[in-house]
């Protein structure tokens, strides 16, 4: 039952490269079989807006699953997400009793290197779940139920959480205190962009419809679409 760590590789400015380097320094001790680094530009579908190129969740997760067994585990994080030393072990333990799980991150000011695991809970709790993990077979079975959303804009993560919970019957599949991150400015979170960017509008519309279909009020996740 190998664990494959999935993340994205893309051109970025020096400060983002620094944050990614810090994150990468936390991955080496994990007992996962490989880091799967995918470049968005290599996909057939790419969402292009204001100089950015973003991929679709389905395409990215599908590509990571290619060639792996149904029992294998894909563990996705953003490229600048740091992980606790026991991250992979805790995720694998959760998936023993379910087929998918996720984790909310903790945010910190500038990070110049890894922090001890016992410091992770002292960071600010971010409402989004940057870590998504699942068995390959679960994704293959339910991928068509996941809205065809863009990774890099808002709201794909509450949809993933809802899909995981409704297909497994679990009230919550959150793995606590295994992921952290240096807080930084976000393109889509800028108040001037959140309801202006076309990719944002697209994701929010899909998320609102999906959540309502599953009996979840989108406003619970800050979605007014």
């Amino acid at each position: 039952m190998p664990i494959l760590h999935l993340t994205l590789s893309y051109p970025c400015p020096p400060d983002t490269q620094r944050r990614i380097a810090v994150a990468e320094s936390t991955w080496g001790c994990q007992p996962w079989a490989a880091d799967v680094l995918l470049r968005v530009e290599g996909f057939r579908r790419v969402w292009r807006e204001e100089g950015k190129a973003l991929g679709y969740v389905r395409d990215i997760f599908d590509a990571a699953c290619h060639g792996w067994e149904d029992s294998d585990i894909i563990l996705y994080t953003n490229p600048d997400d740091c992980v606790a030393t026991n991250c992979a072990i805790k995720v694998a333990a959760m998936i023993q009793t379910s087929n998918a799980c996720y984790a909310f991150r903790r945010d910190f000011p500038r990070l110049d290197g890894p922090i001890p695991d016992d410091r992770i809970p002292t960071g600010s709790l971010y409402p989004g779940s940057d870590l998504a993990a699942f068995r390959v077979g679960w994704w293959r079975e339910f991928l068509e139920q996941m809205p065809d959303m863009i990774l890099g804009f808002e709201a794909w993560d509450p949809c993933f959480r809802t899909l995981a919970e409704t297909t497994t019957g679990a009230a919550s599949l959150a793995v606590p205190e295994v992921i952290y991150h240096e807080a930084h400015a976000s393109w889509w979170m800028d108040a001037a962009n959140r309801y202006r960017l076309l990719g944002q509008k697209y994701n929010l519309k899909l998320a609102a419809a999906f959540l309502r279909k599953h009996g979840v009020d989108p406003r619970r996740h800050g979605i007014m679409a």
Side-chain angles (χ1 to χ4, degrees):
M1 185 185 64
I3 300 176
L4 296 308
H5 175 227
L6 167 65
T7 193
L8 299 177
S9 174
Y10 53 85
C12 54
D15 193 58
T16 303
Q17 292 175 21
R18 176 189 60 80
R19 288 188 284 104
I20 291 173
V22 173
E24 288 176 344
S25 73
T26 70
W27 302 345
C29 67
Q30 300 299 314
W32 47 53
D35 291 303
V36 180
L37 304 176
L38 298 179
R39 295 188 64 86
V40 168
E41 291 84 352
F43 286 96
R44 177 179 59 83
R45 297 191 302 166
V46 178
W47 183 280
R48 300 185 187 277
E49 188 167 0
E50 297 189 358
K52 297 185 182 294
L54 302 172
Y56 289 77
V57 177
R58 286 186 186 180
D59 295 351
I60 291 165
F61 287 3
D62 280 354
C65 290
H66 183 71
W68 297 97
E69 299 295 328
D70 284 351
S71 60
D72 296 338
I73 297 170
I74 303 295
L75 189 162
Y76 169 81
T77 66
N78 289 341
D80 61 346
D81 283 329
C82 303
V83 298
T85 59
N86 58 2
C87 176
I89 293 171
K90 291 178 75 172
V91 166
M94 176 69 84
I95 287 185
Q96 295 309 303
T97 55
S98 68
N99 286 313
C101 63
Y102 51 83
F104 297 94
R105 76 174 192 236
R106 294 281 182 169
D107 274 351
F108 290 86
R110 183 183 174 98
L111 293 169
D112 291 312
I115 64 173
D117 290 353
D118 60 7
R119 274 196 58 204
I120 295 175
T122 68
S124 300
L125 184 61
Y126 181 75
S129 49
D130 281 9
L131 183 153
F134 50 87
R135 288 194 191 274
V136 169
W138 175 85
W139 178 252
R140 288 172 176 157
E141 182 176 358
F142 295 109
L143 71 92
E144 295 294 337
Q145 296 185 32
M146 179 71 187
D148 196 20
M149 302 173 77
I150 305 161
L151 187 59
F153 286 117
E154 187 178 0
W156 74 268
D157 52 318
C159 293
F160 177 89
R161 297 195 299 270
T162 300
L163 181 64
E165 288 159 4
T166 56
T167 57
T168 62
S172 174
L173 294 169
V175 182
E177 315 300 359
V178 292
I179 189 169
Y180 62 99
H181 168 270
E182 179 180 315
H184 60 89
S186 168
W187 180 47
W188 68 259
M189 286 183 67
D190 187 309
N193 292 336
R194 190 176 179 207
Y195 294 104
R196 179 187 66 82
L197 295 169
L198 295 179
Q200 271 289 109
K201 293 178 180 180
Y202 171 82
N203 264 22
L204 291 172
K205 181 178 179 180
L206 287 180
F210 175 84
L211 294 169
R212 290 191 186 105
K213 177 181 177 181
H214 290 278
V216 179
D217 186 344
R219 291 174 296 182
R220 173 181 164 191
H221 299 290
I223 299 169
M224 303 304 174

